[in-house]
Amino acid sequence: ATAGARPMGSSPFAPRARPAAGLRLVSAPARAVGSRARCVETRASSTAAAPNPDASKTADDKVGIFAILRAQLFYLFTFTLALPLFASMVVMFPFVYFTDKYRRNALSFVNDVWATVSTSLFCPIEVVGRENLPSVETPAVYVANHASYLDIYSLFHLRRPFKFISKVSNFIIPIIGWSMYMTGHIALKRTDRKSQMKTLKDCRELLQNDCSVLFFPEGTRSADGTMADFKKGAFSVAAKENALVVPVTLVNCSKVMKNGREWAMRSVPGGIKVVVHPPIRSTDANELCEKSFKTIKETLVQYS
């Protein structure tokens, strides 16, 4: 599973990852009949698509001049803000690497500040269910739907030092890609099977070292705003490490900035919502996948 072209921004056997005090833990239910219809092997391409209320076919065809202007100002502001923050990361990197090799909390904090300040002037982002988040020290596998360039910006509002997967080419983007590298995010060659396997191995190593990881189980951003079937890679990693899986639903991201129309940034009533669901744990990847898919899909319907 990969994160889309993204700006700047790691996690155990037996019960390594325990929920923080007061955290509600939901056990994955028995596998539903036909679960494979929604959970496919990582190497397979997902063809079926589940309706996603986050997309509005008719509204997407109308782009006003203010939406275009807002997007241009957003890019200008976020890149300008990245410059001094990147300089601070360069100074911190050697110390952080040798003292906090996996989580890199200080560098992740800079990512969070960058994303939070960047979006605050252009689009309100609200985190719903923050009480469901595991503690910073608890390694977990975060999984979310993926339909917009703004998804990573929104997820940084969780303020958790997770590492996400992104294609190799993103890491060579000046400032942004270099920041991703210093923060410890994971590079992937999408068409290379060995790279895919190494990526999953790296994610397991991060979990074993108490660092969280983020997956977009659909594999890439939705082309038309519909939520595709989930691939099982993220859930296989979580099952093998007996790690918590935290489903996260991103609402309205594609309405604010549709995939393929990054030049327009709409104003949407209520803004973007990042809905954090109670974490689940199981040693069965199919159960984790089916439960996560169902939870995220139902929440999209609820907010439609």
Side-chain angles (χ1 to χ4, degrees):
T2 63
R6 271 267 317 75
M8 55 188 220
S10 245
S11 359
F13 268 104
R16 268 187 65 88
R18 297 186 180 280
L23 190 66
R24 185 157 61 99
L25 179 64
V26 177
S27 299
R31 186 185 311 168
V33 176
S35 63
R36 289 184 181 275
R38 292 306 179 197
C39 301
V40 297
E41 296 295 338
T42 303
R43 63 177 177 274
S45 61
S46 180
T47 54
N52 183 348
D54 199 30
S56 174
K57 303 298 183 183
T58 56
D60 282 346
D61 293 331
K62 302 177 181 178
V63 179
I65 186 64
F66 289 108
I68 297 174
L69 179 60
R70 184 182 294 109
Q72 307 316 306
L73 292 175
F74 169 71
Y75 291 127
L76 176 62
F77 180 72
T78 191
F79 185 77
T80 302
L81 178 63
L83 294 176
L85 293 178
F86 175 74
S88 70
M89 293 178 71
V90 171
V91 173
M92 290 189 291
F93 177 71
F95 177 78
V96 172
Y97 182 82
F98 287 108
T99 60
D100 187 17
K101 179 179 178 180
Y102 293 98
R103 287 188 195 158
R104 306 187 189 184
N105 286 326
L107 298 176
S108 292
F109 174 74
V110 176
N111 287 193
D112 297 343
V113 170
W114 170 76
T116 302
V117 175
S118 292
T119 55
S120 63
L121 300 179
F122 300 92
C123 177
I125 297 179
E126 177 188 2
V127 177
V128 180
R130 188 176 289 277
E131 68 276 6
N132 293 321
L133 285 171
S135 67
V136 173
E137 295 76 20
T138 301
V141 176
Y142 294 83
V143 294
N145 55 306
H146 197 22
S148 172
Y149 177 79
L150 294 176
D151 291 347
I152 283 292
Y153 281 90
S154 302
L155 288 163
F156 278 154
H157 283 247
L158 297 178
R159 301 198 294 272
R160 289 295 183 270
F162 54 71
K163 308 306 172 194
F164 62 83
I165 302 166
S166 186
K167 59 185 179 181
V168 172
S169 59
N170 290 337
F171 286 81
I172 63 176
I173 299 174
I175 308 299
I176 303 301
W178 305 339
S179 300
M180 290 166 58
Y181 172 78
M182 287 191 292
T183 308
H185 299 301
I186 306 167
L188 168 69
K189 296 179 181 177
R190 287 182 174 177
T191 59
D192 187 334
R193 179 62 177 167
K194 289 184 179 179
S195 178
Q196 295 173 10
M197 299 306 296
K198 182 181 184 301
T199 294
L200 297 179
K201 180 180 178 181
D202 290 344
C203 288
R204 291 186 64 183
E205 181 181 359
L206 288 169
L207 288 167
Q208 291 164 7
N209 286 276
D210 298 332
C211 181
S212 296
V213 293
L214 165 70
F215 284 84
F216 292 112
E218 294 164 90
T220 189
R221 290 203 299 262
S222 170
D224 59 0
T226 60
M227 192 173 83
D229 293 344
F230 282 2
K231 299 177 183 180
K232 291 198 299 183
F235 308 100
S236 295
V237 168
K240 289 175 181 177
E241 297 300 329
N242 196 27
L244 291 174
V245 172
V246 184
V248 180
T249 305
L250 299 174
V251 180
N252 286 339
C253 284
S254 67
K255 288 183 179 179
V256 175
M257 184 177 285
K258 183 181 178 182
N259 185 28
R261 292 190 178 182
E262 285 76 15
W263 40 267
M265 189 175 190
R266 293 185 177 87
S267 177
V268 175
I272 291 172
K273 295 190 185 302
V274 182
V275 185
V276 184
H277 303 284
I280 56 179
R281 193 201 299 273
S282 174
T283 56
D284 188 316
N286 283 314
E287 292 183 6
L288 292 171
C289 184
E290 184 68 17
K291 175 66 175 180
S292 298
F293 181 92
K294 181 174 183 290
T295 298
I296 293 173
K297 178 183 175 182
E298 289 181 348
T299 305
L300 287 171
V301 173
Q302 176 186 343
Y303 278 91
S304 63

